Amino acid sequence: MTRVLAEIESQPELWSCSAALAAERRELLPQPAQRVAFFGCGTSLYVAEAVAAAREAAGQGESDAFAASEMPLGRRYDLAVAISRSGTTTEVLGLVDRLRRSVPVLALTADAQGPLARAADRTLALPFADEEAVVQTRFATCVVALLRAAIGHDLTTAVNDARRALGEEMPGWCADVSQLVFLGRGWSVGLAREAALKVREAAQAWSEAYPAMEYRHGPISVAHERTVVWSLAELPRGLSDEIGQTGATLVRPAGDPLAELVRIQRVAVAMAQARGLDPDRPAHLTRSVVLSGDAVEH
Ligand code: F1P
Protein backbone atom coordinates (compact mmCIF):
# COMPACT_ATOMS: atom_id res chain seq x y z
CA MET A 1 0.00 0.00 0.00
CA THR A 2 1.24 3.51 -0.71
CA ARG A 3 2.10 5.73 2.26
CA VAL A 4 -0.52 8.26 1.28
CA LEU A 5 -3.26 5.62 1.14
CA ALA A 6 -2.35 4.30 4.61
CA GLU A 7 -2.58 7.86 5.93
CA ILE A 8 -5.90 8.46 4.17
CA GLU A 9 -7.33 5.35 5.85
CA SER A 10 -6.27 6.45 9.33
CA GLN A 11 -8.37 9.62 9.21
CA PRO A 12 -11.72 8.75 10.87
CA GLU A 13 -10.02 7.50 14.07
CA LEU A 14 -7.70 10.49 14.17
CA TRP A 15 -10.59 12.95 13.81
CA SER A 16 -11.93 11.61 17.09
CA CYS A 17 -8.49 12.23 18.68
CA SER A 18 -8.58 15.77 17.26
CA ALA A 19 -11.99 16.44 18.79
CA ALA A 20 -10.75 15.16 22.16
CA LEU A 21 -7.69 17.42 21.91
CA ALA A 22 -9.91 20.43 21.15
CA ALA A 23 -11.87 19.77 24.34
CA GLU A 24 -8.71 19.28 26.44
CA ARG A 25 -6.86 22.35 25.20
CA ARG A 26 -9.84 24.69 24.73
CA GLU A 27 -7.97 27.59 26.36
CA LEU A 28 -5.34 27.64 23.58
CA LEU A 29 -7.85 27.88 20.75
CA PRO A 30 -9.73 30.96 19.43
CA GLN A 31 -12.34 32.16 21.93
CA PRO A 32 -15.87 33.23 20.96
CA ALA A 33 -16.12 36.83 19.62
CA GLN A 34 -12.37 37.13 18.97
CA ARG A 35 -11.28 38.46 15.58
CA VAL A 36 -9.06 35.75 14.18
CA ALA A 37 -6.82 35.45 11.09
CA PHE A 38 -5.87 31.95 9.93
CA PHE A 39 -2.96 31.52 7.53
CA GLY A 40 -0.84 28.88 5.81
CA CYS A 41 0.47 27.76 2.41
CA GLY A 42 -0.82 25.15 -0.04
CA THR A 43 -3.03 22.62 1.70
CA SER A 44 -2.71 24.55 4.95
CA LEU A 45 -4.06 27.69 3.23
CA TYR A 46 -7.18 25.78 2.15
CA VAL A 47 -7.57 24.42 5.66
CA ALA A 48 -7.35 28.03 6.87
CA GLU A 49 -10.10 29.06 4.42
CA ALA A 50 -12.39 26.23 5.48
CA VAL A 51 -12.03 26.76 9.22
CA ALA A 52 -12.35 30.55 8.99
CA ALA A 53 -15.61 30.23 7.07
CA ALA A 54 -16.94 27.56 9.44
CA ARG A 55 -16.06 29.60 12.52
CA GLU A 56 -17.71 32.77 11.28
CA ALA A 57 -20.81 30.85 10.11
CA ALA A 58 -21.08 29.31 13.59
CA GLY A 59 -21.32 32.80 15.07
CA GLN A 60 -17.96 32.50 16.82
CA GLY A 61 -16.52 35.77 15.54
CA GLU A 62 -15.03 37.44 12.47
CA SER A 63 -12.56 35.11 10.84
CA ASP A 64 -10.29 35.67 7.84
CA ALA A 65 -7.92 33.40 5.95
CA PHE A 66 -4.79 34.36 4.05
CA ALA A 67 -1.95 32.84 2.11
CA ALA A 68 1.02 33.42 4.40
CA SER A 69 2.69 35.40 1.61
CA GLU A 70 -0.28 37.77 1.20
CA MET A 71 -1.67 38.63 4.63
CA PRO A 72 -1.96 42.42 4.98
CA LEU A 73 -0.15 43.75 8.01
CA GLY A 74 -1.82 46.42 10.11
CA ARG A 75 -5.25 44.85 10.42
CA ARG A 76 -6.44 44.35 13.96
CA TYR A 77 -6.87 40.77 15.11
CA ASP A 78 -7.08 39.27 18.58
CA LEU A 79 -5.31 36.11 17.43
CA ALA A 80 -3.47 34.82 14.35
CA VAL A 81 -3.43 31.07 13.76
CA ALA A 82 -0.50 29.67 11.75
CA ILE A 83 -1.22 26.28 10.19
CA SER A 84 1.70 24.17 8.97
CA ARG A 85 2.23 20.41 9.08
CA SER A 86 6.01 20.67 8.81
CA GLY A 87 6.43 23.89 10.79
CA THR A 88 9.25 24.81 8.41
CA THR A 89 7.48 26.56 5.50
CA THR A 90 9.37 29.77 4.78
CA GLU A 91 6.42 32.10 4.18
CA VAL A 92 4.69 30.94 7.36
CA LEU A 93 7.78 31.53 9.49
CA GLY A 94 8.34 34.91 7.80
CA LEU A 95 4.81 36.05 8.60
CA VAL A 96 5.05 34.90 12.23
CA ASP A 97 8.15 37.04 12.49
CA ARG A 98 6.41 40.09 10.97
CA LEU A 99 3.39 39.69 13.26
CA ARG A 100 5.55 39.67 16.37
CA ARG A 101 4.36 42.12 19.03
CA SER A 102 1.25 43.13 17.05
CA VAL A 103 -0.87 39.99 17.54
CA PRO A 104 -0.44 36.72 19.48
CA VAL A 105 0.23 33.74 17.22
CA LEU A 106 -1.06 30.23 17.84
CA ALA A 107 0.73 27.49 15.87
CA LEU A 108 -1.13 24.37 14.74
CA THR A 109 1.58 21.99 13.59
CA ALA A 110 2.60 18.33 13.68
CA ASP A 111 6.01 19.09 15.18
CA ALA A 112 5.90 20.38 18.75
CA GLN A 113 9.66 21.14 18.73
CA GLY A 114 10.05 22.61 15.24
CA PRO A 115 10.80 26.15 14.06
CA LEU A 116 7.15 27.23 13.94
CA ALA A 117 6.46 25.97 17.46
CA ARG A 118 9.52 27.87 18.69
CA ALA A 119 8.55 31.09 16.90
CA ALA A 120 4.86 31.16 17.89
CA ASP A 121 3.52 32.51 21.18
CA ARG A 122 1.76 29.23 21.82
CA THR A 123 1.45 25.88 20.08
CA LEU A 124 -1.11 23.15 19.85
CA ALA A 125 0.70 20.18 18.31
CA LEU A 126 -0.99 17.29 16.51
CA PRO A 127 1.90 14.77 16.36
CA PHE A 128 -0.56 11.90 15.91
CA ALA A 129 -1.60 13.44 12.57
CA ASP A 130 1.93 13.79 11.17
CA GLU A 131 2.59 12.12 7.84
CA GLU A 132 5.41 10.52 5.89
CA ALA A 133 3.83 11.27 2.53
CA VAL A 134 4.64 14.47 0.68
CA VAL A 135 0.97 14.82 -0.27
CA GLN A 136 -0.91 15.99 2.83
CA THR A 137 -4.14 14.33 3.76
CA ARG A 138 -4.65 13.53 7.44
CA PHE A 139 -2.86 16.49 9.02
CA ALA A 140 -5.13 18.80 7.03
CA THR A 141 -8.36 17.02 7.90
CA CYS A 142 -7.35 16.65 11.55
CA VAL A 143 -6.87 20.43 11.83
CA VAL A 144 -10.31 20.93 10.27
CA ALA A 145 -11.77 18.36 12.69
CA LEU A 146 -10.07 20.02 15.68
CA LEU A 147 -11.38 23.48 14.85
CA ARG A 148 -14.84 22.20 13.90
CA ALA A 149 -15.08 20.45 17.27
CA ALA A 150 -13.96 23.67 18.96
CA ILE A 151 -16.84 25.64 17.40
CA GLY A 152 -19.41 23.04 18.36
CA HIS A 153 -19.72 20.80 15.29
CA ASP A 154 -20.57 17.22 16.25
CA LEU A 155 -18.18 15.05 14.21
CA THR A 156 -20.06 11.76 14.59
CA THR A 157 -21.61 11.96 11.12
CA ALA A 158 -18.31 13.00 9.54
CA VAL A 159 -16.48 10.06 11.17
CA ASN A 160 -19.16 7.54 10.13
CA ASP A 161 -19.40 8.92 6.58
CA ALA A 162 -15.60 8.77 6.23
CA ARG A 163 -15.51 5.14 7.43
CA ARG A 164 -18.09 4.32 4.78
CA ALA A 165 -16.11 6.22 2.12
CA LEU A 166 -13.04 4.08 2.84
CA GLY A 167 -14.89 0.96 1.65
CA GLU A 168 -16.23 2.41 -1.60
CA GLU A 169 -15.42 1.17 -5.10
CA MET A 170 -13.61 3.66 -7.30
CA PRO A 171 -15.78 5.31 -9.98
CA GLY A 172 -15.39 3.96 -13.52
CA TRP A 173 -14.38 7.38 -14.90
CA CYS A 174 -11.11 7.46 -12.87
CA ALA A 175 -9.04 6.16 -15.77
CA ASP A 176 -10.15 8.57 -18.47
CA VAL A 177 -11.43 11.79 -16.85
CA SER A 178 -9.70 14.80 -18.39
CA GLN A 179 -10.88 17.63 -16.10
CA LEU A 180 -12.15 17.56 -12.52
CA VAL A 181 -14.06 20.49 -11.05
CA PHE A 182 -14.88 20.69 -7.34
CA LEU A 183 -17.67 22.91 -6.06
CA GLY A 184 -18.37 24.00 -2.51
CA ARG A 185 -20.52 26.38 -0.53
CA GLY A 186 -19.70 28.16 2.72
CA TRP A 187 -16.92 26.36 4.54
CA SER A 188 -16.73 23.58 1.96
CA VAL A 189 -15.30 26.04 -0.62
CA GLY A 190 -11.91 25.72 1.10
CA LEU A 191 -12.28 21.94 1.07
CA ALA A 192 -13.14 22.05 -2.66
CA ARG A 193 -9.89 23.95 -3.28
CA GLU A 194 -7.99 21.39 -1.25
CA ALA A 195 -9.67 18.59 -3.23
CA ALA A 196 -8.49 20.14 -6.50
CA LEU A 197 -4.95 20.51 -5.13
CA LYS A 198 -4.91 16.80 -4.14
CA VAL A 199 -5.79 15.78 -7.70
CA ARG A 200 -3.07 18.04 -9.14
CA GLU A 201 -0.41 16.87 -6.67
CA ALA A 202 -1.12 13.13 -6.64
CA ALA A 203 -2.38 12.54 -10.19
CA GLN A 204 -0.88 15.47 -12.15
CA ALA A 205 -4.37 16.03 -13.51
CA TRP A 206 -6.28 19.17 -14.52
CA SER A 207 -8.51 20.20 -11.64
CA GLU A 208 -10.23 23.39 -10.56
CA ALA A 209 -12.44 24.52 -7.67
CA TYR A 210 -15.12 27.20 -7.28
CA PRO A 211 -17.89 28.34 -4.99
CA ALA A 212 -20.86 26.51 -6.58
CA MET A 213 -22.69 29.71 -7.56
CA GLU A 214 -19.58 30.88 -9.42
CA TYR A 215 -19.44 27.87 -11.73
CA ARG A 216 -21.94 29.41 -14.15
CA HIS A 217 -19.92 32.59 -14.38
CA GLY A 218 -17.45 31.35 -16.98
CA PRO A 219 -15.83 28.11 -15.79
CA ILE A 220 -18.70 25.99 -17.14
CA SER A 221 -17.68 27.05 -20.67
CA VAL A 222 -14.83 24.55 -20.73
CA ALA A 223 -16.89 21.55 -19.50
CA HIS A 224 -17.22 18.58 -21.86
CA GLU A 225 -17.95 14.82 -21.88
CA ARG A 226 -14.75 13.95 -20.01
CA THR A 227 -15.28 16.57 -17.31
CA VAL A 228 -16.38 15.42 -13.86
CA VAL A 229 -18.05 18.07 -11.67
CA TRP A 230 -17.98 16.97 -8.05
CA SER A 231 -19.93 18.97 -5.52
CA LEU A 232 -19.08 18.86 -1.82
CA ALA A 233 -22.32 20.64 -0.89
CA GLU A 234 -25.94 20.65 -2.06
CA LEU A 235 -26.10 22.16 -5.54
CA PRO A 236 -27.83 25.49 -6.17
CA ARG A 237 -31.17 25.19 -8.00
CA GLY A 238 -30.87 24.53 -11.73
CA LEU A 239 -27.13 23.91 -11.80
CA SER A 240 -27.36 20.13 -12.22
CA ASP A 241 -29.37 20.61 -15.46
CA GLU A 242 -26.85 23.11 -16.77
CA ILE A 243 -23.98 20.74 -15.98
CA GLY A 244 -25.92 17.87 -17.62
CA GLN A 245 -26.25 19.92 -20.83
CA THR A 246 -22.45 20.13 -21.16
CA GLY A 247 -22.14 16.32 -21.21
CA ALA A 248 -20.11 16.36 -17.97
CA THR A 249 -20.60 13.78 -15.23
CA LEU A 250 -21.97 15.14 -11.96
CA VAL A 251 -21.01 13.65 -8.59
CA ARG A 252 -23.19 14.68 -5.67
CA PRO A 253 -22.05 14.68 -2.04
CA ALA A 254 -22.66 11.46 -0.14
CA GLY A 255 -22.46 13.06 3.29
CA ASP A 256 -20.40 15.39 5.45
CA PRO A 257 -18.01 17.58 3.38
CA LEU A 258 -14.94 16.42 5.33
CA ALA A 259 -15.83 12.80 4.53
CA GLU A 260 -16.36 13.87 0.94
CA LEU A 261 -12.75 15.04 0.91
CA VAL A 262 -11.72 11.50 1.94
CA ARG A 263 -13.62 10.10 -1.07
CA ILE A 264 -11.76 12.56 -3.28
CA GLN A 265 -8.34 11.78 -1.76
CA ARG A 266 -8.90 8.09 -2.64
CA VAL A 267 -9.96 9.00 -6.16
CA ALA A 268 -6.83 11.17 -6.56
CA VAL A 269 -4.68 8.16 -5.62
CA ALA A 270 -6.65 5.87 -7.97
CA MET A 271 -6.24 8.40 -10.80
CA ALA A 272 -2.48 8.53 -10.17
CA GLN A 273 -2.25 4.75 -10.35
CA ALA A 274 -4.39 4.64 -13.51
CA ARG A 275 -1.92 7.10 -15.06
CA GLY A 276 1.07 4.98 -14.06
CA LEU A 277 2.19 7.49 -11.43
CA ASP A 278 3.39 6.88 -7.89
CA PRO A 279 1.23 9.09 -5.62
CA ASP A 280 4.03 8.99 -3.03
CA ARG A 281 6.29 10.81 -5.51
CA PRO A 282 4.38 13.90 -6.67
CA ALA A 283 6.10 15.82 -9.46
CA HIS A 284 8.13 18.93 -8.61
CA LEU A 285 6.96 18.92 -4.99
CA THR A 286 8.78 18.62 -1.69
CA ARG A 287 7.30 17.83 1.72
CA SER A 288 7.84 21.41 2.77
CA VAL A 289 8.81 24.45 0.70
CA VAL A 290 11.89 26.00 2.29
CA LEU A 291 13.24 29.01 0.40
CA SER A 292 16.54 30.79 0.75
CA GLY A 293 17.46 34.35 -0.11
CA ASP A 294 15.12 37.09 -1.37
CA ALA A 295 11.53 36.16 -2.11
CA VAL A 296 11.56 38.22 -5.32
CA GLU A 297 13.93 37.78 -8.28
CA HIS A 298 15.75 40.99 -9.21
C1 F1P B 1 2.56 23.34 2.98
C2 F1P B 1 2.78 22.74 1.60
C3 F1P B 1 1.84 21.58 1.33
C4 F1P B 1 2.15 20.94 -0.01
C5 F1P B 1 3.58 20.47 -0.04
C6 F1P B 1 4.48 21.62 0.26
O1 F1P B 1 3.13 22.57 3.95
O2 F1P B 1 2.57 23.76 0.66
O3 F1P B 1 0.51 22.01 1.33
O4 F1P B 1 1.30 19.84 -0.22
O5 F1P B 1 3.75 19.41 0.86
O6 F1P B 1 4.11 22.26 1.50
P1 F1P B 1 3.03 22.88 5.51
O7 F1P B 1 3.38 24.32 5.74
O8 F1P B 1 1.64 22.57 5.93
O9 F1P B 1 4.06 21.94 6.10
Side-chain angles (χ1 to χ4, degrees):
M1 191 192 282
T2 65
R3 275 186 296 235
V4 69
L5 206 50
E7 288 163 359
I8 287 170
E9 294 189 356
S10 67
Q11 291 175 105
E13 269 56 55
L14 295 185
W15 295 352
S16 303
C17 300
S18 304
L21 184 62
E24 274 165 33
R25 306 307 311 273
R26 189 72 199 88
E27 77 288 354
L28 288 180
L29 292 166
Q31 302 299 308
Q34 282 187 324
R35 295 197 73 226
V36 179
F38 297 86
F39 64 90
C41 295
T43 289
S44 295
L45 164 61
Y46 301 135
V47 167
E49 290 180 353
V51 297
R55 179 175 184 268
E56 189 152 327
Q60 294 277 312
E62 286 182 13
S63 310
D64 293 318
F66 299 101
S69 53
E70 298 293 344
M71 179 168 160
L73 298 176
R75 290 202 189 174
R76 293 188 43 199
Y77 291 104
D78 300 307
L79 181 68
V81 181
I83 302 171
S84 174
R85 174 181 71 177
S86 62
T88 55
T89 298
T90 305
E91 297 95 307
V92 173
L93 293 174
L95 180 55
V96 172
D97 198 43
R98 288 194 297 281
L99 292 173
R100 208 174 297 283
R101 286 186 291 276
S102 63
V103 55
V105 176
L106 164 67
L108 298 178
T109 179
D111 182 0
Q113 320 297 333
L116 177 59
R118 291 199 298 274
D121 297 285
R122 56 190 203 245
T123 297
L124 185 49
L126 296 83
F128 57 85
D130 204 1
E131 298 169 282
E132 283 184 32
V134 171
V135 173
Q136 277 200 46
T137 54
R138 73 182 185 193
F139 177 76
T141 62
C142 281
V143 172
V144 175
L146 176 100
L147 289 160
R148 285 181 72 186
I151 60 173
H153 287 203
D154 179 353
L155 296 182
T156 314
T157 306
V159 168
N160 290 337
D161 289 350
R163 285 207 182 102
R164 203 168 317 114
L166 292 175
E168 275 178 13
E169 293 290 315
M170 287 299 104
W173 48 257
C174 263
D176 65 357
V177 56
S178 93
Q179 185 209 18
L180 264 158
V181 179
F182 298 98
L183 304 179
R185 304 206 72 181
W187 68 273
S188 68
V189 174
L191 294 191
R193 295 195 173 120
E194 165 56 10
L197 183 67
K198 262 347 51 157
V199 169
R200 287 194 285 273
E201 288 181 341
Q204 292 178 29
W206 176 19
S207 59
E208 303 181 10
Y210 302 96
M213 290 295 283
E214 281 295 305
Y215 190 51
R216 295 183 173 102
H217 292 274
I220 197 170
S221 299
V222 78
H224 56 86
E225 288 73 15
R226 288 173 60 215
T227 296
V228 171
V229 181
W230 189 325
S231 187
L232 284 82
E234 289 309 315
L235 280 175
R237 191 159 49 86
L239 190 57
S240 61
D241 288 344
E242 290 166 55
I243 291 168
Q245 282 157 23
T246 69
T249 300
L250 175 63
V251 181
R252 293 174 187 275
D256 183 273
L258 199 57
E260 206 60 22
L261 182 56
V262 174
R263 291 176 80 200
I264 296 162
Q265 293 165 344
R266 293 180 78 235
V267 165
V269 169
M271 284 175 64
Q273 289 167 337
R275 291 166 171 235
L277 300 170
D278 177 355
D280 282 336
R281 294 176 190 276
H284 320 300
L285 191 66
T286 48
R287 191 172 181 280
S288 157
V289 176
V290 178
L291 306 172
S292 59
D294 289 350
V296 179
E297 279 187 21
H298 298 288

